[in-house]
Amino acid sequence: MSQVEKKTGLLRRTSSSKKPLKEKVVLMYDEIFAKEDPAKNNPRFWDELFLMKVNLEYLETKLETVDGEEVQKIQDNINSLFHHCVQALGEEHQIKVVNALQTLCALFRGVHQKNKSASGFDIINMLMGFDKAEQRMKDLMERLDSLLCGEGSESLKSLCLKLLLCLVTVTDNISQNTILEYVMINSIFEAILQILSDVSSRGQHGYDAVVLLALLVNYRKYESVNPYIVKLSIVDDEPTLDGMGMVVHHALTEYNRQYKDKEEENQGGFFSTLTSMVGSMFIADADEKLSVQTNEAILLALYEAVHLNRNFITVLAQSHPEMDIPTTPTTLTPTTPTTPLGTTPPSLDMMNNPELPLDPNLQTSNLLITFLKYASIVMQDTKDEHRLNSARLCLIILTCIAEDQYADAFLHDDNMNFRVNLHRMPMRHRKKAVDKNIPSRPLVCAVLDLMVEFIVTHMMKDFPMDLYLRCVQIIHKLLCYQKKCRIRLHYTWRELWSALINLLKFLLSNETTLLSKHNIFHLALLVVNLFNMFITYGDTFLPTSNSYDELYYEIVRMHQVFDNLYCMVLRVSTNTGQWKEPASKVTHALVNVRAIVNHFNPKIESYASVNHISQLSEEQVLEVVRSNYDTLTLKLQDGLDQFERYSEQPKEAAFFKELVRSISLNVRKNVSLNTLSQGVLLKEFSTIS
Amino acid sequence: MEDSEPEPPPSASSSHSLSLPSTPSSSSSSGDPPSAVPPPLGVIREALGELVINAEVAQRACREVLQQVKLNQGEEPQQMKLSKGEEPQQMKLNQGEEPQQMMLNQGEELQQLKLNQGEEPQQKKLNQGEEPQQMMLNQGEELQQLKLNQGEEPQQKKLNQGEEPQKKLNQGAEPQQMKLNQGEEPQQMKLNQGEEPQQMKLNQGEEPQWMTLNQGEEPQQMKLNQGEEPQHMNLNQGEEPQQMKRNQGEGPRHGEELQQMKLNQGEEPQQMKLTQGDEPQAPPAPPTVQVGDPEGPAPGSVKSLRRRQRHNPSKQSWLLRLFESKLFDVSMAISYLHSSKEPGVQAYIGNRLFSFSNDQVDFYLPQLLNMYIHMDEDVGDAIKPYVVHRCRQSIWFSLQCAWLLGAYSSDMHISTQRHSRGTKLRKLILSDELKPAGARGRRDPLTLMPFFPLAPPGHGAPEHSLSPSKRTHQRSKSDATVSISLSSNLKRTASNPRVESQDEPVRLAPQREFIKSLMGIGKRLATLPTKEQKTQRLISELSLLNHKLPARVWLPTAAFDHHVVRVPHTQAVVLNSKDKAPYLIYVEVLECESFETSSVPVRIPENRIRSTRSVENLPDCGMTAEQRAGSFSTVPNYDNDDEAWSVDDIGELQVELPEIHTSSCDNISQFSVDSITSLESKEPVFIAAGDIRRRLSEQLAVAPTTFKRDPEDPSAVALKEPWEEKVRRIREGSPYGHLPTWRLLSVIVKCGDDLRQELLAYQVLQQLKCIWQQERVPLWIQPYKILVLSSDSGMIEPVMNAVSLHQVKKQSQLSLLDYFLQEHGAPTTEKYLSAQRNFVQSCAGYSLICYLLQVKDRHNGNILLDADGHIIHIDFGFILSSSPKNLGFETSAFKLTNEFVDVMGGPDGDMFNYYRMLMLQGLIAARKHMDRVLQIVEIMQQGTQLPCFHGSSTLRGLKERFHMSLTEEQLQLLVDQLVDGSMRSITTKLYDGFQYLTNGIM
């Protein structure tokens, strides 16, 4: 093609004529989609092709519009294009590499778009040809691998990751993406790890790398052996794991910061509170404004790391100074999609700094603290599907953490004290503590606080039974650890007790509505057994002897709830029906609580009558409790300190499948290959070549 | 010349290598010692013949050697040649002289006997009131004269002719010496007293033997000596003019030359020394009081000086004999090195340092280096060879020197500092050019290392074992990964441990980096406002530091060789300090043979117990790509979650719900969550609520008295925890804990504080402790080790099991006595009584310390109380001439509050009287060895800006506080005065009040 023509084409284009004249590259695409071998007339066709700026839209639409029969005819050309793309990746000329990467991306997308219904094999056949597929993909993965690990341009690496993300997310259900089988065979796991272990590359590509890893791990997770799972589970290189932790930490911090900013925006100054008050009369409520989109992809990555790799647990406690500083956008990522879920990383320049910054205002933080804060925000509102999923995932992660002994060890470490400012939902009946003067405590206190907070704030019609179960189980696991290791945590257990009693109360009062959807007896049983833990094993983990008295005080004070619960479960268990069995379990579990209530109530009443006091003070009740222990006999219950270990399969498999699907959709939507505009690349590479 | 010694040419002559190990004092190649075994007479005679014949040749050679050795200082190859040339001559010389020395020794012995018996009373009288220093003044001249005279006088002949002349000499010298000795008298008296009986015995026992030996040899020796004489004469004659000239021309060198002259002249003194060094069985020449003072002798009047000149030969030998004597210890060496103005003597002592054990010299290292920095060239030259030699031997010594040199140079003016000797030496050390001499000879993994660094990276395992030294502090990646890497692919991710470039000074680097990181942490902590933030930051920074461990680093305050493997970061605490951020860290180490050569332990990941999902559990992992590629069919699920967590740390907590695994599990051992149902069939177990409650309160009561966690004072809890318990606890939690060589150490890192004064105080305390031990006075003090890293940073060895009185009071809210009762039980119990005794003994010790050193700023935060009841004073920031600028509080001699007195059983109690008695005994003992204390302080005064040396009267004041002039009765009165005064002192109370108001210290 002549230079003149190209020039005019360019000129016209810039003059924004309505009907775009065909660029040279488009003409070349057309040649490919013709039946003839494009290189037949022009032996330098492929060389030239990759020197042209890619027209993604055109190529993709072209691929989409090809119908079934044509496919057969042009398959050779497409195979050839694919082949030459892969070849071009090895070129020294970086422009060619960039164009080849983008072309490949368009190919993957276009082919999948077109063949939504087609089987993976057809797609592979169309792209590469069956006979050569293996070799082509091997070459591709090797090239990508060496690009990612080489000393080359950062933009190129970024583009490689985008291509991979694109490839991984072309199908809604990742497990149906047959091409990934080749990615399993030709692992790029090592390249991902290398990106994470290096400080500077982690800063720029860490986010994409982590998301990619999380997705790859979920490929046919339950059906086959996924080498990424295997490899991820045995990584023990600290810098790498740390790097992964840093990426997650940073993403979560970024989210927390955005949320905080929004929150402050809403509460800024007297006037704005006034207006928002007025405003909130008309607009739904504050929730809308405060919603920052959750980042499930990164949460999934955290989950996989915690769940699969036990070494990662140490990273949770790895402290970093809190990265609260508003980050300035880096110059290298000029146009980022604004959606936080996008795969473009929140500017990670803070992580590039290997030296800890010297800002005295920075609170030292660690991944776990940041995660807890994040969870506290996410759990505030579970109405939205995304947030519900996020909250569920958060609780699953916490379950894994609570089960891990090393994690428990540092959660309970008396020397590792932190102030964790959990976000609390503003509620009618309680004031939002403006000046949160939280004492510095072991981290487990923050976890318990979070659980108590959740229990207190989610007693609603649309009862999140699943989350409650997880929540109570987490508490139970922590108590088991404390009992086993005889750790006397200085925690205000009273708050937990009253929260649990309130939960029982709620279950009772909404029995009918809840029973239609949930097995409330299971939850009730877990709650009652928590009390049984305290009652029978309190001597091993309660901090003071007074706290044991207080436990009795609380039970006696709220005896009405337990009485009602007993009546209810007794009623249900005597009837025949589906709840007979679970309800009878609860009746048995209530034995000790009822013994306490029945033992102390008469004593207190007689004390009151003897002393002619109508309303006993707390101190007086405690006195009665203290003096009447010896005549009370309790029944030792089995298995109180046993729990069911978390296992992803089969219970959670469906959840994760769905989660991965939604993440895939989201990532696909946001993978922006155009991020790197040609101009930037030209600028960067003109100096090289 | 001095340089040549510590760095002997590796292929030196046989005589060289033979004599080296045991000859500490030889200072020139020509002065090489004889071999330890006296040569057969025949050989001697033969040699003698040759000697006479070759006298001239020898003389020439000698001259040449001297010149060249001087010129070629430090240039070994040349020296090698030279020494070859020398060899024959030396052999002869050595051979010829042996017998002679034996005789001399014998003469000495007799003399000593006599002197020991007769001298003391006399000395006592004489010594009182006279200034030792004056006596030193003339000493320099005298020595010179001695030497000059040597050439002219056929001294050796006289000396060797038997006992009589010597006796005469000795007698003549005696009165003089008695005078001369006055300066040293207290010390020597003691020495003599202590050792006399033993020596007597020794001497008596050995004498006959010696006599016979000597008798038998006498004629021959006469001959020998006679034969030798010409040579000496020649040598002397030949050499002298030349040297004289040189001396005139080259002022500064003059010390060396003089020494050489001396050495060449007749060789006798040197050889004597050497022989003694070589032959341990040589009669101890101890009470060398007499001899001792040839140094001191320099004294008095011109008249006596002249008279002495006549006896110079013996004089000379006496001086040397002191140096040779067993009594001549490091303390004396340092003292002479400091006070002697005579380059020869300084050079000699410089050489003599080699003969002391490393530990002994190390104690005086600050003194040595301070002299090196601030005193004249001669002293510096005398010290340098020793320092260089030791630096070559040990990394630890190198760094210690570098740090101290830096610290003690810091008070100099910037411009002079840059070019000062201290700075140069420091640079030399830090440049790491002082590699072990073994680079040429010794096989040292360290020195071999440079040849290996290009070993193919990635061969994880062999790399560790081959060159352990490669794992420096900078170790960037976990090695574990390398070895674990599944495929060759994965290795890349671990990005192979960076290989150090060849020229990187790897020897000192790891430790320096380690120290630097610790200091960096301290600096960053200081910027944080609250204790809590500091603590959190400290923990997080230390956890990062952990990633780089284990490495070839060690804790300088420890007493054994080790490698640091881990810092249990969560145990670290920030200490109480207003604006600085000192912090206490615990350090896990593995003891090893030698930290320089033993290989660095392999890193064990933090959570070692948790084996990850192992490859075996996922059988498909090993499947090759080809196998898999063929089929896309799904494989049955191997990802069994429960199995994957193979090592189940809380396995006993686990339960599997029957719903899930009913078929596969037999439930014999399994509890189930809903086992309540099954209870119906079982016999229910009943427990009493009262029991639970009782157990709870019992368990809480049994727990040892711990302090409550206080975010404002995080160290209180950490320090209160008994050390053994802490060690056990940390060991349990450590991945290295199972190793038998695992040890726990702790150290306080101070950043921004000048610890030089602390170091001085440590030295004084240590010295006094030694003195009291020696004198068997049961005073108790605990000097804690100080490591000066620079003029504003350092490390301190924490006192174990001790918390400050402030913390005690704040936490317990009890009086000191009540706290004692709480901790140690009723006043009649064994435990309490021993705690009380400890308290009294330590109180007495520290009262004396406080008085002598004028330790100020004695608030309760600076006084610790340990688990056994001892008090321990810390923070010697205000001693001697410095005191905190606060309105003249703390006027009393030391801190003795009523609370202290109460613990001692009240002012009339027995224990309080015991306290007074201890004070008196301690003071008397300290007075006896005053010089040993003064000397430490005096030398450090040189060239320093330390506040404790403000004003001119520091040393005088210190000396006065020893009250040399008082009788014991008077001392008793003084002590009573001090105690009563301190007890009544209102200012102590005021100061405590002041501290409470200003700093919240109770």
Side-chain angles (χ1 to χ4, degrees), chain A residues 121 134 145 149 178 181-182 185 190-191 193-194 197 220 222-225 230 233-234 236-239 242 307-308 310-311 314 318-319 355-358 360 363-364 403-406 413-419 440 484 486 488 535-536 539 542-545 548-549 552 585 588 626 629-630 632-636 638 641-645 648-649, chain B residues 476-478 480-481 484 486 489-490 492-493 524 527-529 532-533 536-537 539-541 543-544 547 570-571 603 606-607 610-613 618 620-621 625 628-629 632 634-638 641 645 647-650 652-655 657 660 671 673-677 679-680 682 684-690 692-697 699-700 709:
Chain A
F121 302 99
E134 202 175 308
D145 185 277
C149 299
T178 323
E181 202 63 35
Y182 294 110
I185 299 166
E190 291 74 25
L193 284 205
Q194 188 177 326
S197 66
R220 299 200 179 177
Y222 308 111
E223 297 100 54
S224 73
V225 174
V230 181
S233 67
I234 57 170
D236 69 347
D237 179 55
E238 268 160 349
D242 244 20
H307 178 234
L308 291 175
R310 307 185 111 188
N311 297 314
T314 47
Q318 185 73 64
S319 307
E355 279 279 314
L356 298 176
L358 261 176
Q363 266 261 337
T364 312
E403 272 179 18
D404 187 284
Q405 199 177 22
Y406 184 86
D413 193 327
D414 227 9
N415 283 67
M416 288 177 67
N417 288 317
F418 292 94
R419 289 174 205 279
S440 195
K484 183 182 158 234
R486 311 233 149 189
R488 300 181 185 280
I535 293 168
T536 41
D539 56 331
L542 282 175
T544 59
S545 33
Y548 194 67
D549 305 338
Y552 279 56
K585 281 181 190 170
H588 291 295
R626 256 176 232 129
Y629 275 126
D630 284 330
L632 172 66
T633 311
L634 300 170
K635 201 164 142 192
L636 188 63
D638 265 355
D641 53 350
Q642 313 292 320
F643 57 80
E644 178 195 356
R645 285 206 71 124
E648 186 178 317
Q649 244 209 320
Chain B
S476 53
K477 308 288 170 191
S478 158
T481 329
I484 282 176
L486 263 184
N489 251 350
L490 193 65
R492 195 187 43 209
T493 58
R524 287 192 285 276
T527 61
L528 298 171
E532 194 185 303
Q533 280 175 306
Q536 287 174 358
R537 171 59 80 88
I539 289 173
S540 77
E541 296 248 14
S543 70
L544 291 182
H547 284 195
T570 60
Q571 303 304 317
R603 180 180 175 81
E606 191 73 6
N607 42 5
R610 52 208 47 261
S611 64
T612 49
R613 285 162 178 268
L618 297 142
D620 197 34
C621 179
R628 292 195 47 144
F632 282 170
T634 52
V635 196
N637 175 28
Y638 288 96
D641 247 314
W645 299 78
V647 177
D648 206 334
D649 13 317
I650 28 181
E652 65 265 42
L653 298 183
Q654 180 178 6
V655 78
L657 281 178
I660 302 175
F671 295 95
V673 170
D674 42 5
S675 55
I676 301 115
T677 40
L679 261 182
E680 289 167 333
K682 268 197 263 169
V685 183
F686 292 102
I687 42 170
I692 299 172
R693 174 63 162 71
R694 216 168 293 122
R695 271 206 302 273
L696 175 59
S697 38
Q699 280 170 8
L700 288 170
R709 189 161 291 280

Side-chain angles (χ1 to χ4, degrees), chain B residues 298-316:
Chain B
S301 59
V302 183
K303 212 169 154 192
S304 67
L305 202 152
R306 267 191 214 134
R307 199 174 67 216
R308 234 169 300 125
Q309 281 176 2
R310 243 175 288 136
H311 306 293
N312 265 340
S314 69
K315 232 12 348 133
Q316 173 70 2

Side-chain angles (χ1 to χ4, degrees), chain B residues 480-531:
Chain B
T481 329
V482 183
S483 51
I484 282 176
S485 50
L486 263 184
S487 57
S488 58
N489 251 350
L490 193 65
K491 215 171 292 153
R492 195 187 43 209
T493 58
S495 62
N496 312 310
R498 266 167 230 153
V499 178
E500 286 119 9
S501 62
Q502 264 172 313
D503 36 26
E504 191 182 345
V506 115
R507 190 168 161 256
L508 307 178
Q511 181 72 8
R512 290 180 70 195
E513 281 298 320
F514 181 60
I515 299 287
K516 215 166 87 188
S517 342
L518 290 180
M519 289 305 144
I521 292 172
K523 271 187 203 129
R524 287 192 285 276
L525 290 187
T527 61
L528 298 171
T530 67
K531 279 253 166 57

